[in-house]
Amino acid sequence: MSGITDFDALRRALAENAEQPEGPARNARAEQLLAEAEKLGIPLAVIEALGHQLSVYNYSSEKDKMFVPFARLLRMWDERPEDFDAQETHSLHWVFKWMTSGMLDQPHIPLASIEKWLGEMEHRYRLAGHSERAVRSSEFSVAAHIGDLERAERAYAAWLAADRDSMADCHACELRRQGWWQAERGRDEAALELWEPVLEGEFACAHEPHTVLASSLLPLLRLGRVDEARAHHLRGFRLVRPMESMRGAYADHVEFCALTGNEARGLELLAERPAYFTDSGHPRSRLDFLSVVTLLMERLTLLGFGEQRVPGPAGRTWTARELAAHARAEVLELAARFDARNGTAYVSESARARMAQEPLVERLPLGVRSARAAVAPVAVPVPEVPAQDEPVEADLRTLLAEARRLSDTLQPDAVAAWAAVARAAEGMELDARDRAEIADHRAMELGPEGVDLFERAARLYAEAGDPGEALAARTRAAYVRALTGHLEEALAGVNGPYDEVLALYAEDGTGLRQTAAVLTGRARVLMRHVHEADEPVDPGVVSAAEAAAREVLALVDGRTGDDVRLAARSAEAQAMLAELAALSGDVAGAARLFARASAAFVGAGLPWFAVEYEARLAGLAHHLGDTAEAERALRAALEHGGPYLEPPGLAQLHLQLAEVLGGRGLSEEAAEHALEAAHWADEAGEGPTLGAWARHQLGGFLLRQGRWAEAAEVLESALPDLSAETHGDGAVVQTQWWLGDCLSELGEHREAAERRLQAAEIARHWPEQHDHATLAHLAAESLGQAGLHDEADQAYARAGDLWRRLGNVHGLVRSLRARAWLALRAEDGADPARELMSTAVRECTAALEAAPDEETRARLTAELGHTHRQFGDLLARSAAEDDGDESIRSALDAALARMSEAVTVFAELGEEGRDARTSAELAAGWLAADLGRPTEAAARARAVLSAYADTPETEGAAQDRRAEAEQLLDVVKEDEET
């Protein structure tokens, strides 16, 4: 049984279907409703059902079906125009525009037919008295599509020059197409200027700003406005994701990913819409979609991921390389069909150009969860190994000189330079010194595996006549043993070189640099002993490490000159003392010493060595409450370490700085650093751990700025990876809470309620129940806004119980008031609503009587005033129109009494309660007027005017209150005169 027995039932069903998601199910229902309409025997019913069918086809992937219902509508109009009411007459002429663009999108429809249709549209619009604006707009679409640029420019100018009338597209849609043309012609600034009113929300419709946000992505990238492009992608994709008809806009977002280093996200987007590969009802958007599929797949193939499995048309598995070839062939075949119809090569040329685009940004972090498709390591410039036909020995000398220069000045590229030397030296006879240095630096490169090579280097240094450097190499071997856990062996291995180097130095048998290297190595080993010692640390171990660090300082301080290595020894020794101070609990002393060590490294021209200590300093400063110093240190660490830090270090530093800035209320800059943290965490393979935390923070910072859609995308992306075990259940609850707030602001109330209830369920198990109560209350608000009134009442009742247990009267009273308003919506709900509001008054009054101090009393007085005010509003609205006069009068009398109570209560607050009091006074005045009490109504209006007699009109609510009071006096006066 369809339930469609009359015209009203049909209209309700049509309206209900119009609210359903776009897609085949809605289209099928429209077809059923047309069949039901035909059974009613009412021509207008059929006309409305045909119009509905045409509309749902237009906003779906089955656009090719809309020509049949339109042809039937047009025939009915030509035969019996009197069957059409004003609305359907308007709709019939309106959809002429859809037909023109719809024909353009179907390559099997001849161009001559489209031109003929354009003429028919112009003729019928003229007969109906409409402006030619819509006609010229349609002509522009035809000319732009076939590549007749001169005609397109003429039609564009005529379109803008013609008067706007009821047939013109809405402002948002017109601006979208005008901006598209400017961007198409290479005028990106002009395009964005035209789109601004749509992007800012001044103009909107069912499909805008969805398309404008998508269309703006590439112009913004081309202009270098990457932050706006990122924001538009996050905000815009959220809008187009559920709308089946927006394949073209969806393609713009995939294209954006392909051109910004977000290939992995592009694949995720393709996986969400498998039907887009094959839906054939709208060939033009299929051409657009497959063009960007080709772009993305060829990009992946170029990056070396041609054999990676990717989403594609159903029925088989696809690699990126295979899908690239398939999609390109489909695009060129489709484009050729359009060109054959149009008599130009414009569509094919445009498609080829789109598929051939180069990235506009190497890597644009988006903040959302996504696997990195390709991680390109930072390239370190390494001297070239000479070709075999060049003088090898001379070039080896050049490589050696460069490697020594880099290592003498402790440059980050030194190890790589020595590796180049080693490759160039293969098979060549070298002296012991050269071989020692090559072995030494190869050992440094190997890390824990380099012990044997350090020992070999020591032997070669000794053979070369440099006993001090030999001892330094042995010390480096000992330190590696300490790093690998062989502490006792390391301690034993460092004592011999230490005694020997001091003796050599005393006899001028070695230099200051070698001696400092051995002393520093010994201090490093002793510091490892400190860090690995059982708690509490043996004071003797700490004393030995401190003495070793001070011995380094005593040796080199004042004697470093221009020697970078010696300056580095001094700075490192100060950092060791800082670590020891921190371990002893001297936080302030440790901070001072870390600052001194960092400054020493920077002063020596070695800022990359300062990064670790600046990060440590930031943590200590934060602990001391010195956020300014913490911020300074973190900024310095990022500045000094940027080119050299690995992704995990960059992620940590950006995240720490984001948290510091966020704590200072600088949410915009904090968001930038949280975004960077998320990006580098993903690059480091730590997306599910550190990356999820960064996204959690980023979402919060975006929310603080009111960037609801962006925040929602980021928070939804963070949630799958956040866990109580890794991040704490507080982070999970906060993310759900923030996401609920975003969804509420976006009007997605059912989804907001879901998030808030999920968060409340976790918070239910916490010892402190305030968050649980707040979340239950917020969930109730969302349920009510979603129209789920029974569920909302239950959630408010749950929140009320929690507020009562917590002794929070304000929360309890507000939950009772909300339940009262919900009850009023139900049939026979007036009495339960009044009882709930009465309970709210009693709870508030009882709390006020027991208030322990003046501040609490003031807050509860305001709450009581608002409760009386809402009680009055509720009573007034409970008077149904079909009630008897006496019943209505009784309800209004009761409402007036409550409003009077509100005025009295707010008056107790003096100046602080003035605005609330005057609002209630005016409400009472209007009720008095409705009850036929003009004297009382006028008195209340004058009381309001008197309250603001000495207040400037622009201050607070004064202007609005005065205006309303004057209006009330005018109404009273008119009533008295009549």
Side-chain angles (χ1 to χ4, degrees):
M1 292 291 292
S2 70
I4 309 298
T5 57
D6 54 42
F7 201 175
D8 288 340
L10 175 70
R11 282 176 165 164
R12 287 193 297 271
L14 292 173
E16 182 180 330
N17 195 46
E19 295 300 316
Q20 297 305 305
E22 296 175 353
R26 187 170 75 156
N27 295 357
R29 177 59 175 157
E31 292 162 6
Q32 294 172 359
L33 292 174
L34 175 59
E36 296 290 343
E38 289 169 335
K39 296 175 185 177
L40 296 178
I42 302 171
L44 185 58
V46 175
I47 290 167
E48 291 188 11
L50 282 167
H52 173 69
Q53 188 182 70
L54 194 157
S55 178
V56 299
Y57 284 155
N58 184 59
Y59 294 115
S60 78
S61 61
E62 299 180 305
K63 290 178 184 284
D64 54 335
K65 290 186 175 182
M66 66 182 179
F67 302 109
V68 173
F70 182 74
R72 185 176 173 189
L73 275 171
L74 193 59
R75 186 171 64 252
M76 293 175 72
W77 168 263
D78 288 339
E79 292 172 356
R80 290 180 57 85
E82 64 272 16
D83 289 340
F84 288 70
D85 62 13
Q87 181 176 340
E88 293 306 317
T89 299
H90 178 274
S91 296
L92 177 69
H93 286 81
W94 180 268
V95 296
F96 264 91
K97 299 177 294 183
W98 294 0
M99 294 305 106
T100 306
S101 61
M103 289 176 179
L104 277 177
D105 296 334
Q106 305 291 333
H108 68 278
I109 299 178
L111 186 61
S113 298
I114 297 171
E115 295 284 8
K116 181 180 177 182
W117 185 257
L118 189 60
E120 178 75 8
M121 176 184 175
E122 184 171 9
H123 171 68
R124 288 180 180 263
Y125 272 39
R126 189 181 301 114
L127 288 177
H130 295 306
S131 162
E132 67 170 13
R133 188 178 183 92
V135 178
R136 298 286 76 83
S137 172
S138 294
E139 181 188 3
F140 161 76
S141 296
V142 173
H145 171 71
I146 66 176
D148 187 344
L149 303 184
E150 290 185 9
R151 183 187 178 193
E153 290 285 14
R154 289 196 306 272
Y156 181 88
W159 165 25
L160 270 60
D163 292 336
R164 280 189 58 85
D165 68 351
S166 61
M167 283 298 112
D169 284 341
C170 76
H171 283 289
C173 288
E174 283 207 331
L175 290 172
R176 182 255 303 168
R177 294 178 61 232
Q178 290 164 18
W180 169 83
W181 181 242
Q182 297 302 323
E184 190 77 2
R185 303 296 291 145
R187 300 185 284 261
D188 290 335
E189 290 279 10
L192 290 164
E193 188 175 337
L194 282 164
W195 287 330
E196 185 174 359
V198 182
L199 296 170
E200 294 298 322
E202 183 180 345
F203 300 121
C205 67
H207 289 75
E208 295 301 343
H210 315 41
T211 311
V212 165
L213 285 163
S215 299
S216 71
L217 295 172
L218 264 58
L220 286 168
L221 290 174
R222 288 193 290 261
L223 292 170
R225 293 159 61 175
V226 294
D227 290 339
E228 292 172 74
R230 177 196 300 113
H232 286 198
H233 169 64
L234 295 178
R235 177 183 163 203
F237 182 68
R238 186 173 191 84
L239 293 173
V240 303
R241 177 188 273 140
M243 303 185 76
E244 186 202 41
S245 66
M246 304 201 74
R247 179 162 55 180
Y250 201 99
D252 290 342
H253 286 280
V254 176
E255 180 180 40
F256 168 83
C257 292
L259 298 178
T260 57
N262 288 287
E263 298 85 3
R265 178 164 171 83
L267 292 177
E268 292 170 3
L269 268 56
L270 295 184
E272 287 190 30
R273 282 292 189 181
Y276 276 174
F277 287 98
T278 52
D279 282 345
S280 58
H282 191 238
R284 183 54 197 262
S285 70
R286 184 163 182 258
L287 172 65
D288 290 336
F289 182 74
L290 291 175
S291 294
V292 302
V293 169
T294 305
L295 172 69
L296 177 59
M297 295 305 137
E298 292 184 350
R299 177 75 185 144
L300 285 169
T301 302
L302 183 66
L303 290 170
F305 293 89
E307 303 312 310
Q308 179 172 320
R309 288 185 59 176
V310 295
R316 56 162 288 186
T317 58
W318 296 89
T319 65
R321 193 185 312 279
E322 291 167 342
L323 184 56
H326 169 81
R328 177 174 282 275
E330 290 277 307
V331 167
L332 295 177
E333 188 276 330
L334 264 174
R337 287 168 53 198
F338 278 107
D339 286 344
R341 187 271 303 276
N342 298 339
T344 69
Y346 188 72
V347 174
S348 291
E349 290 169 357
S350 299
R352 284 192 173 92
R354 191 170 195 181
M355 293 186 292
Q357 292 177 97
E358 294 293 328
L360 294 169
V361 180
E362 182 180 350
R363 177 68 166 156
L364 177 61
L366 302 178
V368 291
R369 177 175 178 256
S370 184
R372 177 77 160 108
V375 180
V378 177
V380 177
V382 177
E384 291 290 331
V385 177
Q388 291 302 309
D389 58 350
E390 297 176 0
V392 176
E393 188 172 346
D395 283 301
L396 178 58
R397 291 297 110 193
T398 301
L399 290 172
L400 271 168
E402 177 63 9
R404 283 171 178 147
R405 183 189 70 80
L406 292 172
S407 57
D408 281 347
T409 54
L410 298 176
Q411 298 298 307
D413 304 339
V415 171
W418 279 104
V421 169
R423 290 193 299 272
E426 287 180 7
M428 296 185 65
E429 289 292 328
L430 298 176
D431 61 29
R433 177 73 190 196
D434 293 342
R435 285 182 286 136
E437 288 181 271
I438 291 172
D440 203 1
H441 287 90
R442 175 60 177 156
M444 295 177 195
E445 185 180 5
L446 289 173
E449 307 301 320
V451 172
D452 291 341
L453 268 178
F454 276 129
E455 296 289 1
R456 181 183 175 207
R459 292 192 296 273
L460 288 168
Y461 280 127
E463 183 183 333
D466 191 342
E469 202 62 58
L471 294 170
R474 286 172 56 194
T475 304
R476 286 191 280 274
Y479 181 53
V480 170
R481 290 188 178 95
L483 290 175
T484 55
H486 300 89
L487 192 57
E488 294 303 323
E489 188 179 347
L491 287 167
V494 81
N495 288 331
Y498 170 71
D499 292 336
E500 290 178 49
V501 82
L502 289 177
L504 273 174
Y505 184 63
E507 299 168 358
D508 294 328
T510 191
L512 179 60
R513 178 187 283 191
Q514 291 81 359
T515 307
V518 174
L519 267 59
T520 302
R522 177 171 175 270
R524 288 173 180 169
V525 171
L526 289 168
M527 287 297 295
R528 291 300 304 172
H529 194 192
V530 170
H531 287 301
E532 293 188 11
D534 295 332
E535 294 288 347
V537 182
D538 183 348
V541 174
V542 174
S543 295
E546 182 179 350
R550 294 193 182 282
E551 190 175 14
V552 174
L553 288 173
L555 177 69
V556 302
D557 268 7
R559 306 172 66 189
T560 58
D562 294 330
D563 192 319
V564 172
R565 282 179 176 269
L566 290 177
R569 303 301 184 205
S570 174
E572 184 178 355
Q574 292 181 68
M576 291 178 186
L577 293 175
E579 287 190 47
L580 293 169
L583 286 170
S584 70
D586 182 6
V587 177
R592 285 193 301 273
L593 287 165
F594 275 128
R596 193 178 302 165
S598 301
F601 276 122
V602 174
L606 303 169
W608 47 88
F609 283 111
V611 173
E612 175 186 352
Y613 307 118
E614 285 163 339
R616 294 286 302 277
L617 171 58
L620 294 172
H622 197 270
H623 179 77
L624 291 167
D626 189 349
T627 55
E629 176 63 5
E631 180 185 338
R632 185 210 61 76
L634 288 166
R635 289 189 189 280
L638 283 168
E639 177 189 350
H640 296 147
Y644 313 106
L645 283 171
E646 293 295 319
L650 281 169
Q652 290 281 4
L653 288 174
H654 278 295
L655 186 55
Q656 289 176 54
L657 183 52
E659 291 172 345
V660 170
L661 292 169
R664 292 184 53 208
L666 302 174
S667 57
E668 190 168 339
E669 189 181 359
E672 294 173 7
H673 286 285
L675 176 68
E676 288 293 323
H679 163 65
W680 289 113
D682 290 342
E683 294 289 285
E686 297 183 17
T689 50
L690 185 60
W693 181 255
R695 277 182 268 280
H696 159 81
Q697 295 281 21
L698 173 58
F701 295 137
L702 291 170
L703 178 142
R704 289 188 203 175
Q705 298 171 61
R707 295 160 66 177
W708 314 114
E710 296 168 66
E713 281 292 302
V714 170
L715 293 167
E716 285 174 345
S717 177
L719 269 174
D721 291 325
L722 286 172
S723 68
E725 296 75 21
T726 303
H727 305 94
D729 56 6
V732 179
V733 167
Q734 184 64 79
T735 302
Q736 296 274 27
W737 192 330
W738 281 338
L739 182 53
D741 291 347
C742 291
L743 295 171
S744 179
E745 292 289 343
L746 293 168
E748 301 174 33
H749 299 299
R750 185 185 292 262
E751 294 79 5
E754 199 173 309
R755 296 300 184 181
R756 288 165 166 175
L757 287 170
Q758 289 169 353
E761 182 58 27
I762 298 173
R764 182 169 69 88
H765 303 286
W766 292 353
E768 208 290 313
Q769 288 287 285
H770 185 273
D771 285 343
H772 181 201
T774 304
L775 284 161
H777 200 114
L778 290 170
E781 288 180 7
S782 294
L783 289 165
Q785 290 169 315
L788 302 172
H789 300 141
D790 290 344
E791 293 87 344
D793 182 70
Q794 293 170 16
Y796 275 125
R798 173 185 174 186
D801 288 343
L802 290 166
W803 291 131
R804 189 186 298 278
R805 286 181 223 159
L806 288 167
N808 189 316
V809 179
H810 299 278
L812 172 60
V813 168
R814 289 168 190 177
S815 66
L816 288 166
R817 293 197 310 238
R819 292 184 66 197
W821 284 108
L822 287 170
L824 189 62
R825 294 171 178 267
E827 189 175 351
D828 300 325
D831 287 341
R834 292 187 192 103
E835 180 54 38
L836 284 163
M837 204 63 91
S838 296
T839 303
V841 170
R842 287 196 299 272
E843 293 284 353
C844 204
T845 302
L848 183 58
E849 290 172 354
D853 54 58
E854 285 304 314
E855 182 180 351
T856 304
R857 172 174 290 277
R859 290 182 62 230
L860 286 168
T861 297
E863 198 72 75
L864 180 59
H866 289 300
T867 305
H868 281 302
R869 168 66 198 267
Q870 287 199 34
F871 202 167
D873 287 335
L874 181 139
L875 290 168
R877 295 187 195 182
S878 69
E881 291 182 4
D882 55 358
D883 287 347
D885 289 346
E886 282 305 313
S887 177
I888 292 174
R889 187 172 188 84
S890 175
L892 294 181
D893 268 328
L896 179 55
R898 287 293 174 181
M899 288 297 180
S900 299
E901 285 283 354
V903 171
T904 301
V905 171
F906 284 132
E908 295 178 25
L909 297 172
E911 192 67 17
E912 290 296 316
R914 182 183 60 176
D915 290 345
R917 174 174 62 80
T918 53
S919 176
E921 191 88 71
L922 285 166
W926 289 111
L927 286 168
D930 288 341
L931 286 164
R933 302 174 188 172
T935 303
E936 181 180 349
R940 291 189 180 277
R942 291 191 188 98
V944 171
L945 292 173
S946 176
Y948 293 105
D950 299 325
T951 306
E953 286 193 11
T954 55
E955 182 181 317
Q959 190 171 0
D960 291 340
R961 294 286 193 277
R962 284 195 185 99
E964 189 177 350
E966 295 287 0
Q967 183 186 6
L968 178 55
L969 287 172
D970 289 342
V971 169
V972 170
K973 184 177 180 181
E974 288 174 11
D975 288 346
E976 288 177 335
E977 290 174 351
T978 58

